Structure formats: C-alpha cells, structure tokens
Amino acid sequence: KAGVTQTPRYLIKTRGQQVTLSCSPISGHRSVSWYQQTPGQGLQFLFEYFSETQRNKGNFPGRFSGRQFSNSRSEMNVSTLELGDSALYLCASSKTRDPAGLTEAFFGQGTRLTVV
Amino acid sequence: SQQGEEDPQALSIQEGENATMNCSYKTSINNLQWYRQNSGRGLVHLILIRSNEREKHSGRLRVTLDTSKKSSSLLITASRAADTASYFCATDAGWIQGAQKLVFGQGTRLTINP
C-alpha cells in the first residue's frame, strides 16, 4: 500500500512569488491535513480537508490556502512568499474519524521550501 | 502555540539501554499519538493511545497515558542506533466539526551511541 506522497520534495523560491505544493493521500483516506515545521515554531497545523471541504484552519494568514480534489488529493498554495515561510511542509492523511476517536494520521516525507 | 511540552529536550544513551520520553499537555484530549522523525524528514507514526486507555505496547515501544496528570510517556526498550531520531507527541485538540487537528510538542531529540 503506497504511503502519502508529497511533491516536490524541495523548492527554492524568491520573495514575492507564489508556490503550490501537492499531496496524494493513502488510498481510501479522505482526510488530508497540512502542517508547517520550522525550528522556531515547531510543528503547526495549517488546515484540514475532508471530501473537498476545509473543516478546520490554523492560525495562519490568508496567504496560505488549500484545496482538495474529488480523488482526495490536496494542494496548498502560498502567495506572496516571505522569508519566514521557509519551512518543511508536511501533509498527513487519515481515514474518516471513527466514533471512538481520532484515527492515526500518516505523514508524507514533506516538501522543503526555501524562500530567498 | 504548542499544546504539550516534552521532556527531556535531548537524551543521549548507550545502545541497548532503555529510553524514556515524557509529554505533558494542557487541555482535555481524545487521543494522543507518538511520532518519530529522522533528520527533518517525514513523521513516522508509532502508536496511538486513546483517552480511555492507560497503557499500550507495540514491539519495543510502551506508551502510558495519565489523563489526570495530563501526561504521557514513551519507553523504547533495548535501544538501537536506528532509534536515533526526534520523537514527538501529538494530541487531538478537539472535535471541531469532526476535523482532525493534531497539536504537537517540541519533541525530544534521542541519540543512541554505539
């Protein structure tokens, strides 16, 4: 069973540009979440999608957006890049939340974004 | 903001010894998950423990959860060099519209010396 696939693995962008990152979840998983990891702030939740709907959003500016397609693949977009957006962006997929609680979230290898 | 704090921030032990990492959190939780991360790569899921469970085992891993103290511990027995990594606990912060949202601690950097 293939894991969570994120593309690209590495990106270098210039301040002011925009970037789109892609995430393909595990087959059968309908929930996709995005996280940003930086040395200073650690792992922070960006947003979560389920059945093409954003169900939850973290405390990030509107420059960060995302979407989910009917096949559960997800993209996140960052516009007007700033130096502080340099980070490892991680995508996680999980099955539908079950009645007993949260299901396991499985992460991809991440996309390392460097803004120069 | 981080939900939890992990202790210690760094741990260095000899191969074969046991490693214990602790995680404390602030609010009520539904579940707690432990992850491993090697050198800035993706997170590997280790174990999930539900709020009504007190202990769980998976191979060389043992996780405990004390909801009255809002704390969890991860024990790795008979450590190996390959266990060298950062370990994170993550809590389910709430049931907002059924959405999944994990809140992570800052992690413990574990080094296993040969």
Side-chain angles (χ1 to χ4, degrees), chain B residues 13-41:
Chain B
I13 61 173
Q14 296 299 120
E15 195 166 15
E17 293 181 337
N18 296 340
T20 299
M21 288 158 273
N22 302 297
C23 166
S24 61
Y25 55 91
K26 298 173 184 174
T27 64
S28 296
I29 62 168
N30 297 306
N31 302 284
L32 185 145
Q33 304 186 41
W34 283 91
Y35 289 87
R36 183 185 76 230
Q37 185 179 41
N38 292 86
S39 298
R41 301 185 67 183

Side-chain angles (χ1 to χ4, degrees), chain A residues 23-109:
Chain A
C23 172
S24 294
I26 293 171
S27 178
H29 286 193
R30 297 168 65 189
S31 169
V32 174
S33 304
W34 290 88
Y35 293 81
Q36 181 197 64
Q37 186 177 30
T38 59
Q41 298 298 316
L43 281 151
Q44 293 191 295
F45 172 78
L46 279 157
F47 26 64
E48 188 254 0
Y49 287 88
F50 180 84
S51 292
E52 303 177 65
T53 300
Q54 186 183 90
R55 298 194 298 184
N56 202 357
K57 190 176 190 301
N59 188 25
F60 278 83
R63 300 185 297 106
F64 291 81
S65 63
R67 60 178 175 168
Q68 186 181 35
F69 302 95
S70 58
N71 61 358
S72 293
R73 189 177 70 86
S74 177
E75 290 181 347
M76 69 162 280
N77 184 76
V78 188
S79 62
T80 319
L81 284 165
E82 300 177 0
L83 294 179
D85 297 333
S86 294
L88 180 66
Y89 289 88
L90 293 161
C91 164
S93 80
S94 62
K95 294 180 181 178
T96 307
R97 181 187 286 262
D98 69 50
L102 195 68
T103 58
E104 292 90 340
F106 297 93
F107 284 78
Q109 289 296 305

Side-chain angles (χ1 to χ4, degrees), chain B residues 42-105:
Chain B
L43 296 169
V44 175
H45 186 272
L46 296 176
I47 200 163
L48 178 151
I49 186 165
R50 301 189 190 283
S51 57
N52 61 353
E53 297 176 312
R54 292 296 167 257
E55 189 171 310
K56 205 162 181 180
H57 297 256
S58 177
R60 295 184 296 113
L61 305 180
R62 172 178 170 256
V63 168
T64 62
L65 178 64
D66 187 335
T67 53
S68 66
K69 295 181 180 178
K70 291 187 170 59
S71 67
S72 175
S73 67
L74 170 66
L75 168 67
I76 303 174
T77 60
S79 64
R80 306 167 181 169
D83 295 329
T84 294
S86 292
Y87 291 81
F88 295 89
C89 67
T91 55
D92 173 10
W95 288 84
I96 302 170
Q97 297 181 353
Q100 168 154 348
K101 175 184 174 181
L102 294 176
V103 181
F104 286 84

